[in-house]
Amino acid sequence: MLETVWFLLWGILWAVYFVLDGFDLGIGTISPLLGKSEENRKAIYESMAPFWDGNEVWLITAGGVTFAAFPSTYAVMFSALYSPLMLLLFALILRAVALEFRAKLENAAWKKLWDGCLFLGSFVPALLLGVAFSNLFQGIPIDREGIFQGTILTLLNPYGLLGGVLFVLLFAHHGALWLCIRTGASLQDSSARMARRIWILLLAVAASFLAFTAQATSLYENYLSYPVLLVLPALAMAGLVLSRLSLGRRQWWRAWAFSGMAIACATLFGVVGMYPAMIPSSLDAAYSLTIHNSASSALTLKIMLAVALVFVPIVIIYQAWAYRLFLTRSAQQGTASGEAY
Amino acid sequence: MDPLILSRLQFAVATYFHFLFVPLTLGLSVLIAIMETLYVRKGDPEYRRMARFWGRVFLTNFVVGVVTGITLEFQFGTNWSGYSRYVGDIFGSLLAIEATAAFFLESTFIAVWALGWNRLSAKAHCVSIWLVAAASNLSAVWILIANSWMQHPVGYVLRNNRAELTDFWAVVSQQYAILTFFHTVAGAYVLTGFVIMGASAYHLLKKQHTSFFSRSFRMGLIMALIFSIFELVEGHLHGADLAEKQPTKLAALEALWETQASAPVYLLALPSPSNDGNLLQWGRIPGVMSLLAHHDPGATVKGLLDFPKEDRPPVLITFLSFRLMVTLGCLFVLLSLAGWFKRNKLQSSPGYLRLMLWATPLPYVACALGWTVAEVGRQPWIVYGLMRTSEAVSPVSTSQVAFTLVGFLVLYSLIGILAFWLMARYIKAGPEPEPITPGN
């Protein structure tokens, strides 16, 4: 029971991370296309400046919770996916540094360097997270001891790559919508146009991913046993459609929220489909890591649950406050430019 | 080269680098909070300029500290999966609590503080930096509890092929953790004081912004003075605690090989690289080590030869790091005391100011040495007496680890150089011009 609760919390943490950091990863990914003028590039950076750091902590928490609640899963997941995870880390470091360093010097080459790093540091994590998660959905070749028996090429299989593309598009779409909310007229129009274009691709990739999932994974088994769960992929698709409809009506907030719903439900669709496995083994189902054979002791799970029940609501309250602080006022003040650093 | 050596190197690189940025985050957040509080209470705009000036240095330092911290969390899984499995029940939960209870707070409010100057009232803005300061120091609490558990595991039972938690309170309240916390944080505050004094000395030597930097210098001085003296006393208690909890590390600190009563300290000693004795030792002062370790000059102290060779830490590194760290610690006290007597005539003491300018990097060296003592001195154990480092390493290929090690070295060097260069640039540029007084 405790394990199941933690499994759900684990899935929700990843979903929240993808929804929040998803938009700034997406903005970075489309920034070379939208940031034609220095003014636009500045607006792009300012659209995420107050938020990205707080967003990224959800990744650290998702990682930390995997470590705390399911240590064996943490050990196998991170060592099996060694190279992609290290690449992801390097990319995230570059992104953070780009966001911090770019404005520090008035020099075109300097700014260009960090613009490049922002793109790489956003696109690469989006792609790798997609590759990593779809490989988990599919199962990876781990043996009885949890030792990974493949190479990085094993992970770059068609299903994994399709998952990577899906994540990149989901985030890019999400990011374009955030720019619609946050930026002034000129960039808003081009962002909205970009969101519409990405949306068509996204719909096609999402539909193929759902179909490919039936062939490449056993995720649907849980859905066949409990058809009511099919509400998750249905909501994910509905989120995409409603997001497009809201975008057409220039209801930016609503479009962004529906896109967030699509990302969250897509993540949960994968996670719930895996239950009770966390890392299915493609060699032998008996080697799979499940919530039962990888969970922490009951005492640790209980303490962690108490910590989560106390602190997560507090975190949500002050993060929501911080979002409000930087959103509401900036609408009155036009842009956030010239503030502090 | 096997994955074990490479993984250790990689972890060392990641930790040393991370800890180039952590101490200043811990101390400077507190000092900036004090500056802003003074501004709110006294209304003197110079304090606000001080908070903003040091804030720019702080923010650059902070971001690099954060991103390199994420690496460390991930490395437990990527490079030390044996460890993660074996002790995740305890160690993992401490890291997760740190993220949930402290790191969220820090990361959210650092943005509120940095970008919120015009959006918040002066008071609310001041509260936000206090939250950042509290959260970063609270982060240190959890991380150091986790580290202390590796040094002195308590509150667990071995079950299901791993260490399982039985007593959470024992883990979080153990003396080793408390001593480690005070030692590390006091060191961080000394470092912060020296950075502030060094940077202020630069401007005072040039006779520019003198009021601004005299004030800054004094704040740094008070911090450095209090905590360098505190550190000396606390460091001694920390060492004495080792006698009971990590006898091999204690013996390595003084290169004591034979178990003996009235154990001596040698003014000069050099352990052999083969880890079985001293190449030379000179200036024997009997009883001092017994006194330091057990507060009794006649007490018996265990020597390294009483432990099997495979259980001894690399004595040469531990011993030299410890000696140098203690020497630096004493030097910090002397430099701070000298500053206290010169506090009212700083501008007429160019010699002292120059000294303090050049002393700025020394606390960084001392912090790195401190970690060397703590971590190399714990070897060959990853969890003292419970799990060997060699059992903890991940089953990953040498090439993967070698490749990422090179990646870390290149990426970190570039970022490190840029970050320190930027910080030096801000400091040289000096504070913002004084605001035009209202009515003009």
Side-chain angles (χ1 to χ4, degrees):
Chain A
M1 183 58 203
L2 261 176
E3 285 105 329
T4 302
V5 169
W6 268 109
F7 179 80
L8 280 175
L9 284 175
W10 177 76
I12 290 170
L13 270 177
W14 283 107
V16 172
Y17 169 66
F18 291 144
V19 172
L20 291 182
D21 215 20
F23 78 75
D24 48 55
L25 290 171
I27 290 172
T29 304
I30 56 175
S31 62
L33 298 168
L34 285 175
K36 298 291 184 207
S37 65
E38 172 59 21
E39 192 192 343
N40 280 356
R41 282 194 294 271
K42 220 172 150 203
I44 285 172
Y45 278 87
E46 279 168 3
S47 73
M48 52 181 152
F51 311 109
W52 72 270
D53 195 4
N55 293 343
E56 206 166 280
V57 183
W58 289 92
L59 171 68
I60 299 169
T61 308
V65 159
T66 317
F67 197 173
F70 304 103
S72 299
T73 292
Y74 178 80
V76 171
M77 184 170 162
F78 281 60
S79 58
L81 304 177
Y82 187 95
S83 297
L85 270 167
M86 284 295 185
L87 263 179
L88 171 81
L89 268 181
F90 290 155
L92 287 177
I93 290 173
L94 277 184
R95 179 176 77 130
V97 174
L99 282 157
E100 173 62 27
F101 285 4
R102 184 186 191 270
K104 303 301 183 215
L105 276 191
E106 286 310 319
N107 173 310
W110 172 268
K111 291 197 188 293
K112 206 164 177 181
L113 167 73
W114 298 118
D115 289 340
C117 288
L118 179 76
F119 167 72
L120 273 181
S122 303
F123 171 74
V124 170
L127 183 74
L128 290 177
L129 285 166
V131 171
F133 269 81
S134 37
N135 270 290
L136 290 181
F137 297 160
Q138 191 178 24
I140 53 175
I142 49 168
D143 66 14
R144 190 191 303 272
E145 266 80 49
I147 297 173
F148 183 63
Q149 299 293 346
T151 66
I152 187 152
L153 293 176
T154 320
L155 303 172
L156 297 178
N157 55 69
Y159 182 69
L161 287 171
L162 187 66
V165 173
L166 176 67
F167 268 51
V168 169
L169 291 172
L170 272 173
F171 291 173
H173 178 248
H174 202 44
L177 294 174
W178 183 257
L179 284 176
C180 293
I181 297 172
R182 280 287 285 173
T183 55
S186 75
L187 195 52
Q188 199 168 48
D189 288 341
S190 44
S191 306
R193 217 173 307 127
M194 171 137 306
R196 286 199 292 272
R197 284 198 198 132
I198 296 171
W199 186 84
I200 298 170
L201 277 173
L202 177 55
L203 197 69
V205 171
S208 353
F209 187 80
L210 281 177
F212 202 169
T213 299
Q215 190 255 318
T217 77
S218 49
L219 286 192
Y220 285 111
E221 279 175 22
N222 280 347
Y223 292 91
L224 292 176
S225 317
Y226 301 96
V228 60
L229 293 174
L230 283 168
V231 71
L232 281 172
L235 280 175
M237 290 312 261
L240 284 185
V241 173
L242 290 169
S243 176
R244 177 66 184 84
L245 292 176
S246 309
L247 178 64
R249 296 197 191 105
R250 299 177 70 85
Q251 295 166 328
W252 315 126
W253 263 115
R254 201 171 282 189
W256 182 80
F258 280 127
S259 153
M261 179 177 110
I263 293 175
C265 292
T267 312
L268 290 174
F269 159 69
V271 169
V272 169
M274 283 161 71
Y275 179 87
M278 298 191 82
I279 306 181
S281 168
S282 57
L283 300 178
D284 184 338
Y287 305 156
S288 297
L289 285 161
T290 68
I291 62 167
H292 306 296
N293 66 17
S294 78
S296 279
S297 66
L299 178 61
T300 296
L301 292 179
K302 273 185 210 151
I303 290 173
M304 288 297 302
L305 195 59
V307 170
L309 288 177
V310 172
F311 283 101
V312 172
I314 299 177
V315 171
I316 292 172
I317 289 169
Y318 63 65
Q319 283 212 337
W321 173 83
Y323 266 83
R324 271 186 69 93
L325 176 75
F326 288 107
L327 285 171
T328 49
R329 291 278 198 88
S330 92
Q332 294 163 12
Q333 295 175 346
T335 69
S337 63
E339 271 185 82
Y341 309 112
Chain B
M1 289 283 219
D2 58 32
L4 175 62
I5 300 284
L6 291 171
S7 283
R8 286 182 63 182
L9 273 175
Q10 187 168 309
F11 201 81
V13 168
T15 315
Y16 283 126
F17 192 83
H18 179 54
F19 215 76
L20 285 177
F21 300 92
V22 174
L24 193 62
T25 302
L26 292 176
L28 202 49
S29 58
V30 174
L31 271 187
I32 294 171
I34 294 174
M35 289 166 187
E36 253 196 276
T37 309
L38 287 171
Y39 167 65
V40 170
R41 296 192 57 169
K42 297 191 173 172
D44 182 345
E46 188 159 77
Y47 285 115
R48 186 173 186 271
R49 283 171 70 220
M50 280 166 73
R52 283 178 69 92
F53 172 77
W54 295 108
R56 283 167 74 101
V57 178
F58 175 72
L59 288 172
T60 300
N61 179 78
F62 178 83
V63 166
V64 184
V66 167
V67 289
T68 51
I70 305 180
T71 312
L72 286 178
E73 178 191 319
F74 277 34
Q75 277 193 346
F76 287 110
T78 51
N79 293 62
W80 305 102
S81 62
Y83 173 80
S84 301
R85 251 176 214 250
Y86 195 64
V87 304
D89 202 61
I90 299 161
F91 190 85
S93 54
L94 296 170
L95 292 195
I97 292 173
E98 188 259 346
T100 325
F103 198 47
F104 265 123
L105 193 65
E106 191 179 1
S107 300
T108 308
F109 281 93
I110 191 73
V112 169
W113 183 79
L115 301 166
W117 288 96
N118 302 325
R119 289 166 187 266
L120 289 167
S121 69
K123 267 189 190 158
H125 194 262
C126 181
V127 169
S128 69
I129 187 70
W130 274 114
L131 287 173
V132 171
S136 49
N137 284 275
L138 187 62
S139 250
V141 171
W142 289 106
I143 295 300
L144 293 171
I145 289 174
N147 180 268
S148 298
W149 193 85
M150 300 168 82
Q151 306 283 353
H152 184 239
V154 291
Y156 69 97
V157 61
L158 294 179
R159 197 164 47 202
N160 302 321
N161 294 321
R162 63 179 181 186
E164 291 193 350
L165 183 68
T166 53
D167 186 348
F168 184 68
W169 181 244
V171 172
V172 299
S173 68
Q174 67 154 316
Q175 195 186 5
Y176 199 107
I178 295 167
L179 289 167
T180 302
F181 171 75
F182 283 118
H183 195 68
T184 311
V185 170
Y189 289 177
V190 173
L191 179 142
T192 306
F194 271 72
V195 168
I196 301 241
M197 287 191 286
S200 304
Y202 171 84
H203 287 283
L204 291 175
L205 279 166
K206 294 200 151 194
K207 306 202 185 305
Q208 54 199 17
H209 314 292
T210 46
S211 149
F212 185 98
F213 283 107
S214 299
R215 268 187 185 173
S216 296
F217 193 103
R218 283 189 194 205
M219 288 181 75
L221 174 66
I222 293 170
M223 194 173 215
L225 183 63
I226 294 173
F227 288 100
S228 60
I229 294 172
F230 174 86
E231 187 76 325
L232 221 52
V233 179
E234 202 276 346
H236 160 68
L237 295 176
H238 198 23
D241 191 48
L242 290 179
E244 183 196 332
K245 290 171 183 159
Q246 289 190 337
T248 50
K249 188 190 278 179
L250 177 83
L253 296 185
E254 294 294 354
L256 182 79
W257 295 93
E258 277 164 37
T259 302
Q260 51 192 289
S262 300
V265 160
Y266 291 97
L267 290 178
L268 195 66
L270 190 65
S272 74
S274 55
N275 224 25
D276 49 13
N278 286 344
L279 289 178
L280 65 92
Q281 48 193 32
W282 176 84
R284 179 186 162 97
I285 314 175
V288 174
M289 188 170 178
S290 297
L291 183 70
L292 289 174
H294 296 288
H295 301 138
D296 167 11
T300 301
V301 183
K302 246 184 148 185
L304 284 158
L305 292 175
D306 269 13
F307 297 92
K309 197 164 182 183
E310 69 270 17
D311 286 355
R312 294 177 207 155
V315 179
L316 182 64
I317 302 174
T318 315
F319 171 82
L320 290 178
S321 309
F322 177 68
R323 283 262 159 131
L324 199 52
M325 175 185 77
V326 174
T327 309
L328 286 172
C330 297
L331 181 68
F332 299 152
V333 174
L334 292 178
L335 287 173
S336 309
L337 276 175
W340 181 252
F341 291 112
K342 289 182 187 293
R343 67 188 185 282
N344 292 324
K345 44 182 178 192
L346 283 170
Q347 287 164 77
S348 53
S349 318
Y352 175 71
L353 290 176
R354 214 162 290 131
L355 197 62
M356 293 312 287
L357 179 60
W358 291 109
T360 312
L362 294 180
Y364 285 93
V365 176
C367 285
L369 291 169
W371 279 112
T372 309
V373 172
E375 304 298 284
V376 176
R378 191 191 57 228
Q379 300 303 324
W381 306 100
I382 191 166
V383 184
Y384 192 76
L386 187 64
M387 183 185 213
R388 282 172 195 277
T389 310
S390 55
E391 298 164 331
V393 73
S394 292
V396 290
S397 67
T398 306
S399 61
Q400 279 180 308
V401 189
F403 202 68
T404 48
L405 175 60
V406 173
F408 273 116
L409 284 170
V410 172
L411 186 65
Y412 275 20
S413 309
L414 289 175
I415 291 173
I417 291 167
L418 279 179
F420 279 109
W421 177 72
L422 277 174
M423 286 194 269
R425 216 170 155 268
Y426 291 145
I427 289 172
K428 281 188 185 168
E432 299 167 296
E434 283 180 56
I436 304 153
T437 45
N440 284 4

